[in-house]
Amino acid sequence: MKLLNDSVVFSFSRSNDPAVYVDVPAEVEVETKDCFSNQLCSPEDRMEQLDWDKTNPATGPIYVNGAEAGDTLKVTVNKIKLAQQGVACCLEGEGVLGHRINGSHTKIIQVEDGIAHFATGIDIPVNTMIGVIGVAPEGDPVNAGTPGRHGGNMDNTMITEGAVLYFPVAKEGALLALGDVHAVMGDGEIGVSGLEIPAEVSLTIELIKGRQYEYPVLENNESFSVIVSKPTVDEAVIRATELMHDFLTERSDLPDTDVVMLMSLAGNLQICQVVDPEKTVRFVFPKAYMGRAEF
């Protein structure tokens, strides 16, 4: 099944009308616009001209038949195919260095053969990832530029090909949507923009009945990570660490205190982004040191 980018939402909401319905397991190819709804296509285009109501479009939502509150939606990212051109921007007053910027600046960047051609002599290998992906939240709608328990704009560089995401389902059908793909982005996204680019994303969607985790969990070949978004980095750090401790003690025969020490020796607390309304961190722990390496 292919879902085109003419079906988008700008918030994650329990009341969004489904674009498609799928039975699990489902193979879905999702076409996405860039985070600016493809409004910036040349160096002359400026962020001041943007229709901000059309930023961070998420293609979908996908209604997963059989999904209910209390379940977990399992989403495997199989393939991300990029367009050949993306855009990076910075804007006065925005991001960590916004106080050092006058006006807005737009850079159109060509992407070919796995390389982003930033400037003469500066060619950056792509680290393709999905910035916005999530399900309907439990309560009020959440705009697609904000992350939370439902996922959303987590801007996590680990959400790439081969990643498996586990989302807590809060609404019948789950209502999965995604967008905001980046060809290149560093952890933190300090200037508000990665290399924003349209893409086609191939997913496998599955369902785990009757259990879930408080925040999204990411699995790849090497590790599990808990992804937490809070109003401050400090709050996100504390909750991500607590939840990873819970995750590991549930899968280990070690005493709780040994798990704390093991986390300090082998775990990695990392920043995803610091520029959205809520800040996102991840606690990453290697499978090699887990007693039972499964969700």
Side-chain angles (χ1 to χ4, degrees), residues 72-76 164-167 204-208 219:
T72 291
L73 195 69
K74 178 181 178 181
V75 181
T76 303
V164 181
L165 290 155
Y166 300 90
F167 293 104
T204 300
I205 302 171
E206 300 170 90
L207 190 60
I208 300 172
E219 177 185 7

Side-chain angles (χ1 to χ4, degrees), residues 50-279:
L50 284 174
D51 182 346
W52 288 97
D53 291 334
K54 294 183 178 179
T55 56
N56 285 302
T59 304
I62 299 168
Y63 187 104
V64 180
N65 293 324
E68 300 173 300
D71 295 341
T72 291
L73 195 69
K74 178 181 178 181
V75 181
T76 303
V77 182
N78 298 317
K79 184 72 176 177
I80 304 174
K81 181 181 178 182
L82 301 176
Q84 295 181 316
Q85 175 178 292
V87 59
C89 305
C90 60
L91 177 67
E92 182 175 350
E94 298 293 333
V96 179
L97 298 176
H99 60 290
R100 296 189 173 189
I101 299 167
N102 293 318
S104 71
H105 304 266
T106 304
K107 181 180 284 289
I108 302 300
I109 300 173
Q110 302 302 312
V111 178
E112 56 184 358
D113 299 326
I115 299 294
H117 301 289
F118 181 81
T120 302
I122 303 179
D123 293 326
I124 307 172
V126 300
N127 64 326
T128 309
M129 48 80 69
I130 301 169
V132 172
I133 183 169
V135 295
E138 183 176 6
D140 294 335
V142 179
N143 74 73
T146 301
R149 286 186 58 199
H150 66 291
N153 194 23
M154 297 178 288
D155 281 322
N156 184 342
T157 56
M158 292 180 70
I159 304 177
T160 187
E161 292 180 358
V164 181
L165 290 155
Y166 300 90
F167 293 104
V169 176
K171 161 69 176 175
E172 179 182 301
L175 300 180
L176 174 70
L178 64 146
D180 185 34
V181 171
H182 304 102
V184 172
M185 195 194 86
D187 286 334
E189 199 187 25
I190 62 95
V192 181
S193 164
L195 178 43
E196 313 293 342
I197 194 165
E200 295 180 358
V201 181
S202 298
L203 305 172
T204 300
I205 302 171
E206 300 170 90
L207 190 60
I208 300 172
K209 295 293 295 181
R211 62 186 180 93
Q212 63 178 212
Y213 215 56
E214 180 180 329
Y215 273 85
V217 172
L218 185 148
E219 177 185 7
N220 58 28
N221 289 336
E222 294 78 32
S223 65
F224 276 96
S225 54
V226 178
I227 311 165
V228 173
S229 301
K230 290 285 187 181
T232 69
V233 171
D234 285 352
E235 291 174 277
V237 162
I238 291 168
R239 193 59 184 143
T241 305
E242 291 173 340
L243 288 175
M244 181 53 79
H245 182 257
D246 293 343
F247 190 89
L248 294 176
T249 54
E250 291 165 3
R251 291 161 177 79
S252 173
D253 297 324
L254 294 173
D256 289 0
T257 50
D258 278 10
V259 173
V260 172
M261 289 184 276
L262 185 58
M263 289 173 64
S264 193
L265 269 61
N268 289 289
L269 188 57
Q270 300 170 343
I271 289 175
C272 297
Q273 61 78 27
V274 293
V275 294
D276 294 333
E278 297 216 351
K279 316 309 176 191

Side-chain angles (χ1 to χ4, degrees), residues 10-27:
F10 297 97
S11 66
F12 288 85
S13 172
R14 299 167 60 86
S15 62
N16 283 339
D17 293 328
V20 293
Y21 294 78
V22 300
D23 294 317
V24 291
E27 303 289 332

